[in-house]
Amino acid sequence: MSELDLMLDGGQAEQQDEWAGAASSQDDDAALYLELDGWEGPLDLLLDLARRQKVDLRSISILALVDQYLTYINRAEALRLELAADYLVMAAWLAYLKSSLLLPREEQEDPSPEELALRLQLRLQRLGAMREAAARLMARDRIGRDVFLRGAPEGLRIDRKTQWQCDWYSLVQGYGQVKARTAPAVHMVRNRPVMTLESALDRVSAMLGVTLDWMRLEEFLPPYAEPRLRRSALASSFVAALELARKGRAELAQDAIFGPLRLRRIPA
Amino acid sequence: MIAGPDELQRAVEATLFASETPMSVEALAAHLGGAELSEVRIALRELAANYAPHGIHLVERAKRWHFETAPDLAHLLRREREQVRRLSRAATEVLAIIAYHEPVSRAEIESIRGVQTAKGTLDVLLEAGWARVAGRREVPGRPVIYATTPEFLEHFGLDSRRDLPGIDELRATGLLDPVDDAFDALMGPDEDHDGAKEQETASDLKQMDDHQAD
Amino acid sequence: MIAGPDELQRAVEATLFASETPMSVEALAAHLGGAELSEVRIALRELAANYAPHGIHLVERAKRWHFETAPDLAHLLRREREQVRRLSRAATEVLAIIAYHEPVSRAEIESIRGVQTAKGTLDVLLEAGWARVAGRREVPGRPVIYATTPEFLEHFGLDSRRDLPGIDELRATGLLDPVDDAFDALMGPDEDHDGAKEQETASDLKQMDDHQAD
C-alpha cells in the first residue's frame, strides 16, 4: 500500500496541496516501483503529476505535464518495470498531442490539439474533484470509527396478536355448505307431459290408413297439445315414421334440408 | 487528561453508552486514561441525578454502571400490535360444526365435514376464544370434545345456540345449495368448458330444489 | 438539561435509545401508539438541542433518528479492533463518484476515473450497504445505474446528499457535468473555430473560472 492510500483514508481535504507523492521527494527506483503499483491507471498518474506543478488544475501547463509523463514512463521502461498497456497507450497519445501542439497552426487537424488538451484538462479536473471529495468524505465522523452507536441496545420487540374476524353469515353459510357437500345426492326427474313411442306408432299408423296422399309430419300431431307435449309428440312421431318406413309400410320424403318431412302409406 | 468535570461527565456518558457491557468505576477510570476514581464516582452520581427525570436512567447494579430504559417506560420495549384477520373457510366450517353439534370431537367434526381437519384449524378457534375444550368423551380413546364459548355467542350476536338457523331455514335461503352452485351464482359463468357443463348440472339441480320447495 | 423532559420526549428518548436501528418520525409515532407526527418532530428537536452539550448526541440522518457518541470523544472510544471496513482507494473514489453523481452507470464511473472498475470494487460497496442498484438507464444497452443508500448517509454522518462536502461548489463550477458538456459550454455554440478564437475562448474561460472561485 502506498502513502496515497493512507492519506486518502485518514487524510484531510486540506492536505491536498501536499499531495506530492513519493516521486518528487525520493529519486530512487524503489519508490518509482512502489508508485506504479499505487496508480489507478494513467489518468490517475497524470493527475498526480499535474498536482506536482503546485498550481490550480485550471492553470496547469499541458506541455509540461506531457513531458513529465513521458519522462516517467521512459524511466520505468529503462528500469524494465512492467507497465500496463493503457499507460503506454496514454504515452503514445500524449506524444502525439505534444507534437501537434508544437506544429504550426495551419497544419493542425480537427479536432485541434488545443481542444484535445482542454478535454484532458477537464478530465483531470473532474477526477481531481472526485478524489478530493472522496478524501473529504472519508474524513467525516464515521460511525464505528469516530462516533459510536449504543453498545447494547435492548431492542424493540413487537408482538403481533391476531384478532380473528368472522361474521354470522359466513358461519351459517359454512355450515350449510358442509351439509350440502356431504348430504347424499338424490336425483328426481320431473313428471313431464310426453307422448310415448307406442302411442305415436298407433296414432301415425291409424292416420296413414285414411289416405294415400303425402302428409306432412306435423299433421300427425295432436292439434291442441301444449308446446312441451307437442315437442315430445313431434319426436315420437318422427321415430314412429322411421319405424313404419323400416317395416315397408310407409315412405318418407324431404325435398330440402330442414324442409318439411312428408309421409305416405305404401299400399300392401 | 480530562479537563473539567463536565468533560469527564461527557466522557463517562459516551463510554457507558457505547460499551457493550456494564462497567465498574475502575474499568471506566482505566478506559478514560487513568482518571481519579473519586472523580469518576462523582461524575457518575451527577449524571445519574441529571438523567433521573429522563426516559433513560443511569443505574448501578452490582457495582457496575449502565444505561437502561426508565422502568415506567418498559412497556415501550415490548409492544403488542393487533392484526385483524379473517377466519379461513376451513376454520369457519369447523366453528359452525362445533356450534351446531356441540360438544363434538375432532373425529366427529371430520366425519361431518368429510375431510380431515388440520391441527392448526382448531388451534385458531381456541386462540380466537370462540371454541373451548369441553372435556373428553367416555368412549375408547377418550377423545377431547369441543364446545363454543360465551365469547362466541357475543361475537356473532346470538343469545343462545338455538338462535342459529335450522337446516330447513338454511335450505329455504339457498344456503344448502352445493358449494359449486353457490359459487357459480356469485362468480358468474365459468370460462372453461368443463365449468360450463358443471354449471348446467347445477342449475338443473337448482330447478329441482325449486320444484321441491313448491 | 434545564427543564425536565415532558412525557412524549421521555418516550421518544427511551424508544430511540432501545432501538437497534435508526427510526423515522413515522416509525416512532407508530411505535408510540399513534402520536402526532408534528409533536414527535418537536420532541425530537428539543431532545436533540438538550443533548447537544452532552457526550451523547441525538442526530437525524437520511430522515431517520439515532443516538450516537459526540464526535469530539472519538479518541476515547476507538477500539483496538477496527470496526470500520477499510476501503481501497479505488472503492473510495467509486463511492464518491456514485454519491456526487447519482444515479450513475458503471461506464460513467469509468469515464471519470479513466480506468476500468474491477468487478469486486462495486461489490464491496453494495455489500457494505452503501451503494445500491437504482434501476437501469433507458439508453441502448440499458446499463444498470447505481445510487447511495440511507445507510451511506448514516455512516458518514450526512443528513442528506445536499450535505455532501463541497457538493454546491462542485455543482456551481460544473465539475459534476460530463467532460463533453463542460467542453461544449466552454467552446460556445460555434462548431468550427479558428485558432485565434479558441485562444480567446480559453482565456475567457479562465476569467470566468476565476470569477466563480471568488
Side-chain angles (χ1 to χ4, degrees), chain C residues 179-200:
Chain C
V179 167
D180 284 344
D181 292 1
F183 184 81
D184 291 344
L186 292 177
M187 300 313 278
D190 285 355
E191 284 298 285
D192 55 338
H193 1 251
D194 53 41
K197 198 166 179 188
E198 215 168 85
Q199 202 78 335
E200 247 175 35

Side-chain angles (χ1 to χ4, degrees), chain B residues 21-52:
Chain B
T21 52
M23 290 176 84
S24 66
V25 175
E26 291 74 16
L28 268 168
H31 187 89
L32 301 177
E36 285 290 327
L37 289 186
S38 57
E39 285 179 10
V40 173
R41 271 193 203 97
I42 292 168
L44 280 165
R45 267 199 293 276
E46 285 178 357
L47 273 174
N50 284 344
Y51 270 102

Side-chain angles (χ1 to χ4, degrees), chain B residues 63 72 136 152 189 197:
Chain B
K63 302 230 171 269
D72 65 309
R136 289 179 180 276
F152 165 80
K197 209 167 169 185

Side-chain angles (χ1 to χ4, degrees), chain B residues 40-110:
Chain B
V40 173
R41 271 193 203 97
I42 292 168
L44 280 165
R45 267 199 293 276
E46 285 178 357
L47 273 174
N50 284 344
Y51 270 102
H54 278 254
I56 310 158
H57 288 175
L58 179 58
V59 293
E60 182 184 14
R61 301 253 188 276
K63 302 230 171 269
R64 300 198 302 168
W65 290 78
H66 71 272
F67 281 107
E68 64 176 33
T69 309
D72 65 309
L73 296 176
H75 64 278
L76 290 176
L77 303 188
R78 272 191 79 115
R79 286 249 109 155
E80 276 199 351
R81 192 147 301 168
E82 286 224 321
Q83 201 179 5
V84 175
R85 280 179 65 187
R86 270 200 84 73
L87 216 53
S88 70
R89 186 159 136 187
T92 306
E93 286 183 7
V94 171
L95 180 62
I97 291 167
I98 295 176
Y100 275 90
H101 296 265
E102 79 175 41
V104 64
S105 72
R106 179 161 163 180
E108 288 158 358
I109 293 170
E110 291 181 348

